[in-house]
Structure formats: C-alpha cells, structure tokens
Amino acid sequence: MTFPAVRLRRLRRSEGMRALVRETSVSVDDLICPVFVQESGEQSSVGSMPGMERLPLSGLAAEIERISALGIRAVMLFGIPENKDDEGSAASQRDGIVQKAIPAVRDACKDMVIMADACLCHYTTSGHCGLVRDGIVDNDSSLAALSRIAVSLAGAGADVISPSAMMDGQVAAIRSALDSAGHSGVSTMPHSAKHSSAFYAPFRDAADCAPKFGDRRTYQTPYTGSREPIREVAADIEEGADIVMIKPALAYLDLIAETRRRFDVPVAAYSVSGEYALVKAASMQGWMREEDMVREILHSIKRAGADMIVTYFAKLAAGMIQNEG
Ligand code: PBG
Ligand code: ZN
C-alpha cells in the first residue's frame, strides 16, 4: 500500500505553518489611493463606483488625513475641471484643479507621495487623450500639450507624473520637459501598457472623460496579444520611465508577470474602476464577500509580480491590514 509521501497539507496544518510558507503579502506600502477632485460644490458620489466620491477642494484635506491615518503613503490625483476646450488648456493652468489640489495635499500630509495623472481627456471637449486635428487624435501636438501639463503639475509640487494618454514618445517628451524646467527629481510612472478596455467605463462616469466620438483604440493597446504591450513597456523604459504600469490588472496578470520577468524596473498595476465595480456589485448583492475578494485579488496582483497597486480599495485594504495587525 503506497501512501502519498508528498503531503502538501502538512504545510497547511496551522495558521503558523501557513504564515511561514506564505510567498506573497500585501503591505499598506504597496497601495496607491486614487482621489478625484473637483473645484467646488458638494462631494458627489459616482453611481457605478459605490463608495467613491468626487471631492471638492475644500474636502480634500480631511480625506488626505483619513488616507494617511490608514498608513497609505501615496495618492493618485485626477481632476475634474469646470471648463473644457479643444486644446484642453485647463490641464496646464497654474490655477487648474490639480495644480490647486497638490499643495492642499502637501499641507495635509507633507510626506504623502503625490502622483498626478497627466492626460487631456478630462479637459478636452472631444474627451480624447490627445489633441484632435482634422478629426484624428494627433500624436505630436499632443506631446507638447502633455509636456506642458507635466511641467505644470511638477511646478505645483507633484512627486510623480503619471501620463495616461498612450501617445507615442510621451515619456521622452515629458522627461525632457521636466528636466529642462528644473524638475529632474520628479519621477514618471506612465500607464505603459494601457489596454483599450471595457473596464474603464465607471471611471469615465466619475471623471467625465468618455470620448465624444470614436473610441480609444487608435492609441490604447489591444487586449488580444502580449508582444505589443511588452513593446510599450520596453519603449517607456528606454524613454526614461522610472516605474512602468500595466492596466487593467486582473485580466492582465500574465503581462504583469512578463513585465516583472523581463525588466528590472518597479512595476505598478492599476486595478481599474471596472474591477472595483465588479467586486462592489457582487458584494452588494450578497453574492460574494467584499473583503475576501479584495484580499485575494490584491495577493494575485502581487503574486504576478507587481510592486505596487493603484486600487480604489486602497482605504478598505489598508484598514483590513491594520486590523489584521
Ligand atoms: C484617462 C484614464 C482612464 C483611466 C485612467 N485614466 C480612462 C480611459 O482611458 O478611458 C481608467 C482608470 C479606471 O478605469 O479606473 N486617461
Ligand atoms: Zn486620457
């Protein structure tokens, strides 16, 4: 009679054994908390992202204090401007929404790592991430605009500029503009492999940045392959990116793993609005348990190889980690 000599259950006998052999952990240091800021008015909830709020500037300090009290060290700021125009000019104004939010965050928590999204879609009437010329999203004029935005955000005090426009050459353009403007200490964390995804829909509600015509497939990566996203990552590293990002996270774990395997740079994963909405919807129905899903998803993203995770569950997860002590 042969009994199994290999008994993996021996490693699972007790919480202590399981803890000793655990391969990944999620720390509050890994979390980046997105924050939506608007000029004024009441804080307003986002229908498709239950629990997420758009905050007026006046409510920002209190929120940053809550985030920081949970031990979270980094936030990612998204602005909702009052006015849009064809050139997205409000994105690089000295008194733009994010330009005002950054010092407010700094005042509320001086050590917070302030990451600022750099894109045009929230600010352009077209809702596209680049400037439209003759009906198409024009790459090279967009680079100049993105560079102005980056310099302006760095001037306001951002630590990390996170371009999400997927224009070719955006990292090089931004890097050189930052350096020329005396911001060589400011990092870039591009959305390197940002896929054209259905999972951004709730974010577009939150930030009012849906394209008014066409879609984003002429600039975002298709989800049908793995060579093209890896080339995007390689190009961004070549252009000087400090941290590269894969986005979304859950349906793209293979690409997080491949990026981790091939490159020696920090890798961020962006668990996007649609991933948040899926978990929220199922838990609100009582079908699955929110905290258990969040724990499992965050571990899977870490296991795939991400060093840090942008997640709308940052506060929930930080609280869970705090309670688990
Ligand atoms: C726009 C932008 C998007 C997201 C971040 N920046 C949406 C889009 O490309 O349409 C998605 C984030 C999310 O869904 O959480 N540059
Ligand atoms: Zn955009």
Side-chain angles (χ1 to χ4, degrees):
M1 194 128 131
T2 57
F3 286 95
V6 178
R7 289 182 182 270
L8 290 166
R9 290 187 56 194
R10 284 196 287 263
L11 300 175
R12 304 177 193 143
R13 265 165 70 107
S14 63
E15 183 49 38
M17 283 299 284
R18 291 193 294 270
L20 280 172
V21 301
R22 189 169 296 147
E23 294 178 54
T24 58
S25 60
V26 178
S27 152
V28 73
D29 293 344
D30 307 330
L31 303 173
I32 300 166
C33 185
V35 177
F36 296 110
V37 246
Q38 62 191 23
E39 288 280 347
S40 56
E42 293 294 301
Q43 74 173 50
S44 59
S45 48
V46 183
S48 49
M49 299 180 75
M52 279 301 295
E53 306 284 339
R54 283 176 287 237
L55 295 172
L57 277 169
S58 59
L60 189 55
E63 175 68 0
I64 294 300
E65 280 158 21
R66 281 189 291 271
I67 290 170
S68 147
L70 286 162
I72 297 171
R73 294 159 173 270
V75 293
M76 167 80 75
L77 300 177
F78 292 101
I80 300 147
E82 301 270 80
N83 301 304
K84 303 179 194 256
D85 62 24
D86 289 349
E87 302 298 305
S89 50
S92 48
Q93 271 162 12
R94 194 181 266 283
D95 65 346
I97 176 67
V98 183
Q99 285 80 354
K100 286 188 287 198
I102 291 167
V105 174
R106 186 66 71 212
D107 279 350
C109 178
K110 90 174 166 22
D111 297 323
M112 188 62 76
V113 176
I114 304 178
M115 302 182 158
D117 181 71
C119 201
L120 284 153
C121 56
H122 314 211
Y123 301 89
T124 47
T125 36
S126 70
H128 275 293
C129 300
L131 299 176
V132 175
R133 301 274 185 262
D134 301 324
I136 62 156
V137 176
D138 180 61
N139 198 81
D140 297 7
S141 56
S142 302
L143 296 182
L146 289 166
S147 300
R148 276 196 299 278
I149 296 172
V151 169
S152 165
L153 295 169
D159 299 299
V160 180
I161 305 298
S162 192
S164 60
M166 288 297 286
M167 294 296 118
D168 287 327
Q170 64 178 10
V171 176
I174 287 172
R175 182 71 271 157
S176 105
L178 287 173
D179 292 350
S180 312
H183 298 299
S184 57
V186 172
S187 300
T188 62
M189 181 174 78
H191 295 48
S192 300
K194 179 179 184 185
H195 295 83
S196 181
S197 171
F199 288 87
Y200 305 150
F203 178 97
R204 292 177 190 171
D205 287 346
D208 184 27
C209 67
K212 296 294 174 297
F213 67 87
D215 54 41
R216 302 212 201 287
R217 283 183 297 173
T218 66
Y219 41 104
Q220 298 183 342
T221 316
Y223 52 74
T224 44
S226 54
R227 294 191 295 260
E228 204 171 314
I230 293 299
R231 290 183 73 192
E232 287 282 5
V233 169
D236 282 2
I237 295 171
E238 192 82 358
E239 291 178 33
D242 297 287
I243 303 169
V244 295
M245 187 199 287
I246 307 296
K247 178 184 180 190
L250 208 45
Y252 299 83
L253 294 178
D254 57 328
L255 298 175
I256 296 172
E258 183 72 357
T259 301
R260 170 74 297 145
R261 193 177 69 74
R262 296 186 41 160
F263 306 105
D264 290 321
V265 296
V267 177
Y270 196 141
S271 184
V272 302
S273 57
E275 298 174 57
Y276 177 84
L278 288 181
V279 170
K280 277 286 175 192
S283 67
M284 286 166 76
Q285 293 282 339
W287 291 342
M288 293 192 274
R289 288 167 47 95
E290 180 176 29
E291 294 199 355
D292 294 344
M293 285 190 276
V294 168
R295 196 179 292 105
E296 185 172 337
I297 290 169
L298 294 178
H299 277 89
S300 74
I301 296 170
K302 286 295 299 285
R303 187 188 69 231
D307 298 292
M308 63 195 93
I309 308 169
V310 185
T311 170
Y312 302 97
F313 287 115
K315 287 197 288 177
L316 176 70
M320 285 160 48
I321 294 166
Q322 232 172 35
N323 291 335
E324 286 156 11

